[in-house]
Amino acid sequence: MTMLGKAEYGVTTFFTRSHPNDKCGANGLPLTPNSVKVLGRFQGLKHLKHPQICKYLDIVKDKHERMVIVCEHYRNCLSSKSSTFSSREKLTEIAYGVLKGLAYLNSIGITHRNLSKDNILFDAEGQVKLAEYGLYYMTGYGAEVAFPIGMPQYLAPEVLAEAPITVDEHSDVEPEVLNPSGPKVDVWSLGMILLEMMCAQDLWTGLTMPQIFHKIFAFLKTDQSPLQSIAKDNSLTETLKTLTPDVVEFLNKCLTVSVKHRPSPSELLKDDIFTELRLKEVPYRNGFQLFSTESRCKDLELPVYGENGTIMQDFDFDHLSLRNMEEVYYLWRLAGGDLEALLRKEGLVITKPPITLLPSFCTNEGDVFGQRRDRAELLDSIVITASQEQLRNRLSEVDEKAYYPLLEDEQSSMTSSLPLSPSSSDLTNTASLPLVIKEKDVEYQFHRIILYERLLKAYPYKRAHIWKEARVDIPPLVRAPVWAALLEVEGDIEGLYNSIDKDTITPTDRQIEVDIPRCHQYHELLSSPTAHVKFKRVLKAWVVSHPEYVYWQGLDSLCAPFLALNFTNEALAYACLTAFIPKYLHKIFLKDNSQVIQEYLAVFSHLIAFHDPELGNHLDGIGFIPDLYAIPWFLTMYAHVFPLHKIVHLWDTLLLGNSSFPLCIGVAILQQFRDRLLSFGFNECILLFSDMPEIDIQRCVQDSIKIFCSTPKSATYRQHARPPKKAQKEESRPNLSYYSRDYNDQPSTDLSMEPIPIEELKREKVPRISAEDLIELGELTGPAHSKSPTKRKQNSKPMLLVVDVRSEEEFNKGTVEKSINIPFHSAFSPEGDLNACPAVTTLTSSRPQVKVIVGSRGKNAVNFANEIIRLGISKVCVLHKGIDVLRQTGLLMLPPADI
């Protein structure tokens, strides 16, 4: 975790190069904007952490290819402290800090290539912090911007001598670079900067870029070393003589013309000039990682106590300064932080008519006459400091204890429908507000983020608490690790992912490459080339590691939410995808999955009829069956249907439910279109779902929960759902709520559901219910803690009505307690209506109750259920195996004489 400390947020901006508007790539799709390419590469910079580099926090793609970058920033830089840093000892410390930062960047394949006195910053403790180190990397080595990267007076000779970058405007392929600058170019830049600092003089002030080029190349033709030549040209020969021999030798190493003989930053760190600093150095530890096999407390440091017993703080009890830098930035945006407003205030957003920007005359040397070159085309070195005052004012009334919430709260209610948050009981009121309001509320998000951070650090021990809090909501900032926790991701995920062969060519590569460019093109990050590479690696890793499955079109959409949330952590994206599929899509990706899909669709049809028989009858009547529209829903868990910002809210709830919850989401979607669907014919329904209208996702989530909680668990039984998990130690798998467990996870008995042939499922209009659920819902064994969410509340009407359709003679021999008898053979009139009788009145007036049709093992119960569904009676199901399954329970009894 990178603490905020005394850091500020620095905002910079630049424009990327534009593509011709009418050009398309080889795949027929429009060329990816350079701004999108930059957006994709930038994500890799956000996770970099090192004491000698400033942390990147955010990038925003604005209008007209403008990129706005937010980075850790400090006001003190090398150029503002020239007189202060002229001593040998201080400059040696600076050089050592710069080289450590460069060596870290080099170790992950990044070259600064933009080193200058303006981007060598100093934090509050005077430690070196490198800024702007990612500009060369994120812009494709400068190919995607119209300005040169790097200050000419600090650029190495090989940089000045390299050929221009070739850009193919008709291709999305990475730019052709003859020789991308390597780590040693930064060593030359460091040498030039140190020379300026030691001599307290800027080199070649007032010279144009061509003149600087000419001087450097002239030095290369002399017998003198570059250091001596530069000193002579700038009248620094006498000053150079005052430097100690080891400093001169170090500068000569930096300013070596030959790239082959010039040392790299990591090699220079071993120079004798840094011997004393190396002995004092404390090894850098790269912080806490959620999914790791290493001991998390091996580097634990105890707090330092003062004389009066209080803990000594470095930040004067500024609790916000002790928070994560990304967390404070997230809250800063919620508190009104506006990047575009900052740019406008500084005059960086200025719109001019294009005709006024055209120059009158240009020379071969690049000199422009007439109109001055548009400032926006070049790299603006202005760094705008974003004030944190507004955020601090918003949090000024927050109690100090809120920064350190207790995870164990004896007063929290474990039985309430909406759990209280251990951080503050007052949050329960805010939690009832619409999601769009909660996610914009600074104080609410502040409390929730801090609570989740502590819970996640205690994962998996606090898994049950994470589940409890996730039922309230999941803050966007912590959604990625919370999803991983809900999916029970554990262990060395990085090692597992790295062990999978993702490079060997396989038969599915071509299909993946075809699908990926079409996946989530509306999402700028996922449409970037960087995202396409990650998509391919994650999907290929899944296919290779699951040989029993094959690649189906739609897997890319299923992968998209996990990759978007874990863009810089492919291993976690893969781990989440691998945990998600068996829970919700078990056997869906078999080569021949027809039986699995058909069972899924049949159960979905039953669920529609169970909750909305009128709609189900209409759709069946016009032939608009789920096969025509619902397969993409379930194959991608709606990721192909909804945009990503809606999917994350939907999946926040989906991950808390069992494998049947997606079926309830489908019913909720149909109910939002209910009026239109009832008035439409077949063709209109096809058109409606071919271009899905806008969905109120918050309403969809709430309706899905209501549908799920009013559906007996066995009514959604599927034989192809995930089989029961292997027994786990009680302490390693906490007893989570009913909603997260599958019916198949319960111990199987003679009263349980059993596989039903697909043909039989498709003939039936209503779901079946197990004898287990009948006993629990009907409370046939007396009051008890029910496993079913449809269990009635105390002093309320029973949630279940048993309708016995056997003959009166069989009914009188024994039936379920409080059941009613409507013999099937005499139940319906010639017109198909129910014949009036007291039992029928009871049936038609029991609208909110679950009606369980009970008969013998024949088809009478199913036929009766199909007929009353036709009449529009809802919540109808059939007892699986008939009434005979209850004979072994001893629950059958003689009905009262007045029935």
Side-chain angles (χ1 to χ4, degrees), residues 804-819:
D804 195 323
V805 298
R806 295 177 298 160
S807 66
E808 184 176 354
E809 179 182 359
E810 292 178 319
F811 177 75
N812 289 330
K813 291 180 181 179
T815 187
V816 178
E817 182 183 4
K818 297 182 181 179
S819 62

Side-chain angles (χ1 to χ4, degrees), residues 224-275:
Q224 287 182 315
S225 68
L227 176 61
Q228 296 295 332
S229 299
I230 295 171
K232 181 179 179 180
D233 187 71
N234 289 272
S235 304
L236 299 175
T237 305
E238 293 302 320
T239 306
L240 204 61
K241 293 178 181 180
T242 63
L243 302 179
T244 59
D246 59 343
V247 171
V248 174
E249 181 184 359
F250 181 80
L251 290 175
N252 275 317
K253 290 179 180 179
C254 292
L255 301 177
T256 300
V257 174
S258 171
V259 179
K260 180 179 179 180
H261 296 99
R262 189 189 311 153
S264 66
S266 57
E267 291 170 341
L268 268 184
L269 284 172
K270 302 174 184 177
D271 195 271
D272 292 341
I273 199 173
F274 301 126
T275 301

Side-chain angles (χ1 to χ4, degrees), residues 604-730:
F604 180 53
S605 296
H606 293 170
L607 210 57
I608 298 172
F610 182 84
H611 289 284
D612 197 338
E614 182 184 1
L615 180 60
N617 291 335
H618 173 71
L619 296 180
D620 282 346
I622 63 176
F624 191 62
I625 58 177
D627 308 54
L628 300 175
Y629 61 89
I631 292 178
W633 292 5
F634 303 128
L635 196 66
T636 66
M637 289 295 112
Y638 306 95
H640 180 72
V641 181
F642 296 131
L644 202 59
H645 69 278
K646 291 189 174 184
I647 278 295
V648 293
H649 290 153
L650 186 66
W651 281 18
D652 281 351
T653 303
L654 172 69
L655 293 174
L656 297 170
N658 59 30
S659 63
S660 66
F661 193 81
L663 297 165
C664 302
I665 296 174
V667 177
I669 292 174
L670 292 179
Q671 288 185 343
Q672 281 205 31
F673 302 142
R674 188 176 191 275
D675 293 341
R676 277 185 279 183
L677 289 173
L678 288 174
S679 64
F680 283 173
F682 179 85
N683 291 335
E684 291 86 352
C685 289
I686 289 290
L687 292 175
L688 178 71
F689 284 102
S690 63
D691 186 14
M692 179 73 79
E694 186 72 17
I695 288 282
D696 183 343
I697 204 68
Q698 186 72 10
R699 175 187 163 191
C700 180
V701 169
Q702 296 302 322
D703 290 348
S704 301
I705 295 173
K706 292 177 183 177
I707 292 168
F708 182 73
C709 293
S710 61
T711 305
K713 181 175 281 191
S714 56
T716 57
Y717 167 80
R718 292 180 296 112
Q719 63 172 309
H720 295 298
R722 182 170 63 174
K725 297 179 182 179
K726 296 180 180 179
Q728 300 282 345
K729 293 182 180 180
E730 185 176 354

Side-chain angles (χ1 to χ4, degrees), residues 170-215:
H170 305 276
S171 174
D172 274 338
V173 179
E174 293 295 314
E176 295 182 17
V177 183
L178 297 179
N179 186 18
S181 297
K184 295 183 179 181
V185 301
D186 293 330
V187 172
W188 177 283
S189 301
L190 176 61
M192 296 294 292
I193 292 170
L194 291 177
L195 180 59
E196 286 190 346
M197 299 307 297
M198 290 177 178
C199 300
Q201 177 180 330
D202 292 337
L203 304 179
W204 298 318
T205 55
L207 297 184
T208 63
M209 187 179 294
Q211 291 172 328
I212 294 175
F213 290 176
H214 176 76
K215 285 185 174 293

Side-chain angles (χ1 to χ4, degrees), residues 847-876:
R847 183 176 181 84
Q849 292 176 288
V850 176
K851 296 88 177 171
V852 183
I853 311 303
V854 175
S856 301
R857 291 192 70 100
K859 298 296 182 183
N860 286 347
V862 172
N863 293 335
F864 183 89
N866 290 344
E867 287 300 313
I868 63 174
I869 283 292
R870 178 182 56 80
L871 297 175
I873 298 177
S874 63
K875 295 190 176 180
V876 177

Side-chain angles (χ1 to χ4, degrees), residues 725-842:
K725 297 179 182 179
K726 296 180 180 179
Q728 300 282 345
K729 293 182 180 180
E730 185 176 354
E731 63 272 13
S732 66
R733 288 289 186 272
N735 185 23
L736 302 175
S737 70
Y738 165 92
Y739 302 92
S740 64
R741 293 192 299 268
D742 276 300
Y743 179 82
N744 292 14
D745 287 337
Q746 298 175 180
S748 179
T749 68
D750 293 338
L751 304 178
S752 302
M753 294 291 294
E754 61 185 7
I756 305 170
I758 294 297
E759 296 74 17
E760 194 170 344
L761 270 179
K762 296 173 78 171
R763 283 196 301 268
E764 298 176 2
K765 300 294 184 183
V766 298
R768 299 190 187 188
I769 185 176
S770 70
E772 295 167 321
D773 270 353
L774 173 64
I775 293 171
E776 291 178 15
L777 290 171
E779 295 183 344
L780 301 182
T781 58
H785 293 291
S786 174
K787 292 181 288 184
S788 172
T790 53
K791 180 177 182 292
R792 72 181 179 91
K793 299 179 181 179
Q794 188 176 7
N795 301 324
S796 66
K797 189 176 181 180
M799 291 299 295
L800 183 145
L801 175 68
V802 178
V803 182
D804 195 323
V805 298
R806 295 177 298 160
S807 66
E808 184 176 354
E809 179 182 359
E810 292 178 319
F811 177 75
N812 289 330
K813 291 180 181 179
T815 187
V816 178
E817 182 183 4
K818 297 182 181 179
S819 62
I820 61 174
N821 181 222
I822 306 178
F824 174 68
H825 294 294
S826 60
F828 298 95
S829 67
E831 291 79 19
D833 297 324
L834 282 167
N835 292 319
C837 67
V840 170
T841 302
T842 301

Side-chain angles (χ1 to χ4, degrees), residues 68-254:
V68 183
I69 294 177
V70 184
C71 185
E72 176 185 359
H73 182 68
Y74 301 92
R75 295 178 187 268
N76 291 333
C77 65
L78 196 57
S79 61
S80 63
K81 298 288 185 179
S82 299
S83 58
T84 308
F85 299 143
S86 58
S87 68
R88 174 194 179 281
E89 292 74 16
K90 190 59 181 178
L91 285 171
T92 303
E93 290 181 12
I94 294 172
Y96 191 63
V98 171
L99 288 171
K100 284 199 296 183
L102 293 176
Y104 169 74
L105 295 173
N106 299 160
S107 68
I108 52 179
I110 294 178
T111 300
H112 196 299
R113 237 300 288 273
N114 191 30
L115 203 61
S116 71
K117 292 189 292 186
D118 290 331
N119 53 43
I120 298 177
L121 312 182
F122 300 94
D123 63 15
E125 289 72 40
Q127 298 298 312
V128 169
K129 289 278 189 176
L130 298 183
E132 298 183 32
Y133 52 85
L135 187 60
Y136 183 64
Y137 166 78
M138 75 175 79
T139 58
Y141 310 120
E144 287 148 13
V145 290
F147 52 81
I149 295 178
M151 302 293 289
Q153 63 266 39
Y154 301 135
L155 291 177
E158 65 270 20
V159 175
L160 299 175
E162 69 184 13
I165 297 174
T166 304
V167 180
D168 185 357
E169 298 287 0
H170 305 276
S171 174
D172 274 338
V173 179
E174 293 295 314
E176 295 182 17
V177 183
L178 297 179
N179 186 18
S181 297
K184 295 183 179 181
V185 301
D186 293 330
V187 172
W188 177 283
S189 301
L190 176 61
M192 296 294 292
I193 292 170
L194 291 177
L195 180 59
E196 286 190 346
M197 299 307 297
M198 290 177 178
C199 300
Q201 177 180 330
D202 292 337
L203 304 179
W204 298 318
T205 55
L207 297 184
T208 63
M209 187 179 294
Q211 291 172 328
I212 294 175
F213 290 176
H214 176 76
K215 285 185 174 293
I216 290 180
F217 290 126
F219 297 154
L220 303 182
K221 300 176 182 178
T222 66
D223 295 332
Q224 287 182 315
S225 68
L227 176 61
Q228 296 295 332
S229 299
I230 295 171
K232 181 179 179 180
D233 187 71
N234 289 272
S235 304
L236 299 175
T237 305
E238 293 302 320
T239 306
L240 204 61
K241 293 178 181 180
T242 63
L243 302 179
T244 59
D246 59 343
V247 171
V248 174
E249 181 184 359
F250 181 80
L251 290 175
N252 275 317
K253 290 179 180 179
C254 292

